Amino acid sequence: MRTCLPAPSPATVRAARAYLTQRHATGADQILWELTEHPLPDLDAIDAVIAASDRAQRGPGDQPQPMAMAAALVVLGAARLDMDQTEARLLDAAQASAMGWEQIAAILGLTIEETEERHRHLKPRLDQPVAHVLPPRPYGQTHRPRAATRTSDQ
């Protein structure tokens, strides 16, 4: 059985997204940040840190700061939680649509026991707070962006 890392708090995720976006956003992503404080997509932010590290290992450029690596790891934890919750909801929906564990397991390439264990493992993740990214607010709107969560922002 794999062990899940604890979910980072929504406030920590928002801070990590802001940190990475301020340092790595370019083009339209940079404009979205400057105008609406809309962060980079999570996987793009993580990829930017990995790319910076790869460039530094090849020679030109400095290795990303430990804070950038920490922020990328926090964002990775948030992305993993989001996918775990999505998978748990999808498994629930598949069962509700009259698919049996045999069918679900065959599609996933797992045994029935592995599929049931995976579902049991993911189900508690549904109760963990997620720092969702809202769509960019229209230009000129004055309120500060606030990430929506399924539960309180703790």
Side-chain angles (χ1 to χ4, degrees), residues 45-151:
I46 294 164
D47 285 344
V49 174
I50 293 169
S53 178
D54 289 347
R55 282 191 305 276
Q57 290 176 19
R58 287 191 308 271
D62 295 328
Q63 196 58 250
Q65 294 295 314
M67 182 63 88
M69 292 295 180
L73 289 168
V74 166
V75 171
L76 177 65
R80 179 175 287 119
L81 174 62
D82 187 49
M83 288 305 300
D84 286 352
Q85 290 181 341
T86 299
E87 184 176 353
R89 288 192 311 273
L90 184 56
L91 290 172
D92 287 342
Q95 281 197 297
S97 74
M99 286 183 76
W101 284 121
E102 307 86 25
Q103 293 170 307
I104 297 168
I107 292 166
L108 295 176
L110 301 172
T111 66
I112 295 169
E113 295 78 23
E114 290 170 331
T115 305
E116 290 173 334
E117 174 60 28
R118 185 167 184 83
H119 184 250
R120 277 192 301 278
H121 176 75
L122 294 172
K123 198 89 166 144
R125 304 274 284 165
L126 288 170
D127 297 327
Q128 295 180 320
V130 177
H132 294 286
V133 176
L134 295 175
R137 66 181 192 263
Y139 179 71
Q141 204 170 27
T142 57
H143 75 276
R144 304 274 306 163
R146 201 168 96 63
T149 59
R150 285 192 189 101
T151 60

Side-chain angles (χ1 to χ4, degrees), residues 20-21 24-25 29 39-51 75:
L20 294 174
T21 301
H24 295 286
D29 289 320
L40 279 168
D42 289 348
L43 297 181
D44 291 348
I46 294 164
D47 285 344
V49 174
I50 293 169
V75 171

